[in-house]
Amino acid sequence: MASASVPGFTLQANGDDNPGQVSSGSGGSSCHRRSDSESEPPPTAKSLARLCSRDKDERTTALEELSQKVLVCLGLDRPGSARLSKQTLLHLLRLSRSCPLEEVRVRATELLWTAQEEGVKVPRALASGPSCFIPAKEMLIEGPNQDILIESFLSLGRVDHLTTIMALHPSYLSCFLKTQHALFELDGPLPRDWRHYISVLAAARHHCSYMVQQHSAAFLEAGGEENWLGGLEHAPAKLRSLQTLNKLLAHRPWLITQQHIQELVCAGAEPRWSLAELIHAVILMANTHSLCSFAWGCGLNPEPDHVGGYTFHPPSPSHIPRSTHSPAHEDGRQELVDGAVEVEVLMKRMVELQEQEEECTQEEMVTRFERERSESIPTAVVRGAPPELVLCLVEEPEFRYEDFAPRGEQSPHIMRAQDYSWEDHGFSLVQRLLPDMGQFLDEEFQVVSNLTYHRMAMHEGVDTYTLRKALWNYIHCLYGIRYDDYDYGSVNVLLERSLKVFVKTVACHPEQTTARIYHAFWRHFRHSEKVHANLIVMEARLQAALLYTLRAITYYMR
């Protein structure tokens, strides 16, 4: 998610940690600072926040002031200057790459070029766009999504890769940003720095350095103690007590019981959580776990100012950019033909299911559900060890997702949607314990469930309801949730095996998602349609995890 505040620029004293410097004089020595009486103050968080003003004149003034301060740092207005800090340069890089306001984007680019001309080593982004799976041109920086990207920038101070990709579906992004604002910024039982730290711990479970870095930065901006990010042992005992719930929510939420709730909130618990605090923490964790699925499923690149997202080294002369968004094929024409046939077959099956009048017995419906949940769907290769910034925040890293119903083993009890559902039970409990949050979440679920453009691949005027429903119910099936009135035979008819592999990987083992898995399904569909599928996976997974925890809280409260 986007950070809620804008970090300030600073001037740095000369030192080896600086990315570059401006020299003056015949001896080539580094520039000195002016005396305090002559010194220009560096840009601050407050002055930078004016770039996000809704008043165009104020933005213009702020941009001119920013430019002047950078030029002062470069010593172009008078002799003697301090050099630009790494933080300043990275902020300019981010603005030059992702700001939806053209005048800001162009000016940031010009300032970086000016700094480079003056001998400063400037950073460059290592990725060409927000996703290593999706071509940058698909992101539509200019186009129908421009308004919501500008709104995001004016509200949050930046437009990150997550927001840019979600902007392919503006109606969803609009309600998503409202939910995130409520979770992290509005008054609530948990302090703001704790909200982001809990999210850091949640992202670490899925080795998602993208989300860890996003929330680590926001945690520090909210006044959090930096040493907490160095390991769990530095955090308060109350936060550490969430680790069991965190790992279960991330990997096997069906194992959560009222005993886990009681250990955190009962009168003898030490440290003790109130129910309001706990529900806030649970939603934060489940929200972040599901966003990790989206980040991995869409192949998010690091932000330009993230570790791994930039370099100060120039590109190698022998470097030839290679496309990262489409695998090589020996016969592209044959693939187009095969993809078109797949779409036609899928559309025919959707129509047949909508026209089907045959009714199955309840026994047959249960059998089909059991067949789906016990089907062996292999996931991808296991990645190497996560980076240290992630690993130091994970307790029991070997605890991972296991199939809800392994073949030949006794499985946990199924959760029947008729016995406990979001609409009839979960929504009201969240509203009671964390007012308004139930409404925000419900809007997200409703928007993603009803989201349609009445098209599929190259076809227009298509009713995609049965396909969207099959995706949602298949994800809940993987998490052991059954709808008695749904025929799970539809899942097998509509979801090809390559799609099932992608969905199961992103929903259950997101850190194992690869470009090959992403490109293998729906080969003739738009990337925006694959992003749509990722949104469904994300929200269905979020709801499933919440349902198990809310049910445990309900049982505890009886």
Side-chain angles (χ1 to χ4, degrees), residues 53-61 103:
S53 171
R54 296 181 185 277
D55 185 313
K56 187 174 181 179
D57 291 338
E58 185 174 359
R59 288 204 308 271
T60 300
T61 301
E103 66 274 18

Side-chain angles (χ1 to χ4, degrees), residues 509-522:
H509 309 273
E511 61 278 5
Q512 295 181 17
T513 308
T514 64
R516 180 177 296 276
I517 293 175
Y518 175 87
H519 293 295
F521 81 97
W522 286 359

Side-chain angles (χ1 to χ4, degrees), residues 86-395:
K86 178 179 178 180
Q87 181 187 19
T88 300
L89 291 167
L90 289 176
H91 194 86
L92 287 172
L93 176 64
R94 178 164 56 76
L95 288 173
S96 73
R97 295 300 301 267
S98 62
C99 180
L101 298 173
E102 184 178 12
E103 66 274 18
V104 176
R105 192 168 66 246
V106 169
R107 184 67 62 87
T109 302
E110 291 173 348
L111 291 171
L112 286 173
W113 273 108
T114 301
Q116 188 172 40
E117 289 294 312
E118 291 300 311
V120 176
K121 290 182 179 178
V122 301
R124 63 180 178 88
L126 290 174
S128 61
S131 167
C132 61
F133 297 167
I134 308 172
K137 63 183 179 182
E138 292 277 337
M139 297 301 101
L140 299 176
I141 294 299
E142 305 295 337
N145 301 319
Q146 189 74 351
D147 288 346
I148 197 164
L149 290 177
I150 291 174
E151 177 60 31
S152 178
F153 179 77
L154 297 179
S155 300
L156 304 171
R158 66 186 295 162
V159 175
D160 57 24
H161 291 169
L162 187 80
T163 303
T164 304
I165 291 178
M166 282 188 181
L168 291 169
H169 301 282
S171 60
Y172 174 81
L173 177 58
S174 179
C175 69
F176 170 80
L177 291 176
K178 291 176 188 175
T179 303
Q180 301 308 297
H181 179 71
L183 264 180
F184 292 99
E185 299 302 323
L186 296 185
D187 290 342
L190 294 177
R192 287 175 177 79
D193 58 334
W194 278 39
R195 302 180 198 189
H196 288 289
Y197 190 74
I198 289 168
S199 297
V200 167
L201 299 182
R205 288 294 336 169
H206 285 308
H207 305 173
C208 189
S209 60
Y210 180 90
M211 296 301 299
V212 167
Q213 291 193 69
Q214 289 286 80
H215 285 290
S216 294
F219 167 72
L220 294 175
E221 288 167 14
E225 296 186 29
E226 189 171 2
N227 68 327
W228 291 13
L229 299 174
L232 280 166
E233 66 276 11
H234 302 298
K238 186 169 181 176
L239 285 170
R240 296 200 305 272
S241 69
L242 288 175
Q243 284 306 290
T244 296
L245 202 55
N246 184 25
K247 73 178 184 181
L248 292 177
L249 267 170
H251 308 298
R252 305 176 208 169
W254 52 85
L255 298 181
I256 296 172
T257 67
Q258 67 185 83
Q259 182 65 31
H260 294 110
I261 307 303
Q262 183 174 336
E263 289 172 358
L264 293 169
V265 303
C266 72
E270 185 58 42
R272 184 182 180 185
W273 289 77
S274 70
L275 277 174
E277 290 175 330
L278 184 60
I279 198 67
H280 196 176
V282 163
I283 295 172
L284 287 165
M285 289 186 285
N287 173 75
T288 303
H289 296 149
S290 66
L291 280 170
C292 289
S293 285
F294 185 83
W296 284 113
C298 291
L300 288 195
N301 283 319
E303 295 293 324
D305 54 351
H306 275 184
V307 173
Y310 65 89
T311 180
F312 281 93
H313 298 292
S316 169
S318 61
H319 175 71
I320 301 175
R322 284 193 282 179
S323 171
T324 59
H325 57 76
S326 60
H329 293 283
E330 294 182 3
D331 189 346
R333 288 176 299 175
Q334 184 59 44
E335 188 210 0
L336 288 175
V337 172
D338 292 344
V341 170
E342 289 174 2
V343 175
E344 298 293 343
V345 170
L346 178 55
M347 288 187 61
K348 182 180 178 182
R349 289 175 175 176
M350 289 166 60
V351 171
E352 288 173 350
L353 283 173
Q354 289 168 346
E355 295 176 349
Q356 185 175 297
E357 296 182 0
E358 175 190 1
E359 290 190 8
C360 298
T361 63
Q362 190 61 40
E363 290 76 11
E364 177 62 22
M365 300 270 265
V366 171
T367 299
R368 292 179 179 182
F369 170 82
E370 295 292 343
R371 189 181 299 132
E372 282 302 324
R373 78 181 181 109
S374 61
E375 182 183 13
S376 178
I377 299 291
T379 49
V381 298
V382 177
R383 293 181 182 270
E388 181 56 32
L389 68 88
V390 170
L391 199 57
C392 68
L393 297 167
V394 179
E395 197 173 80

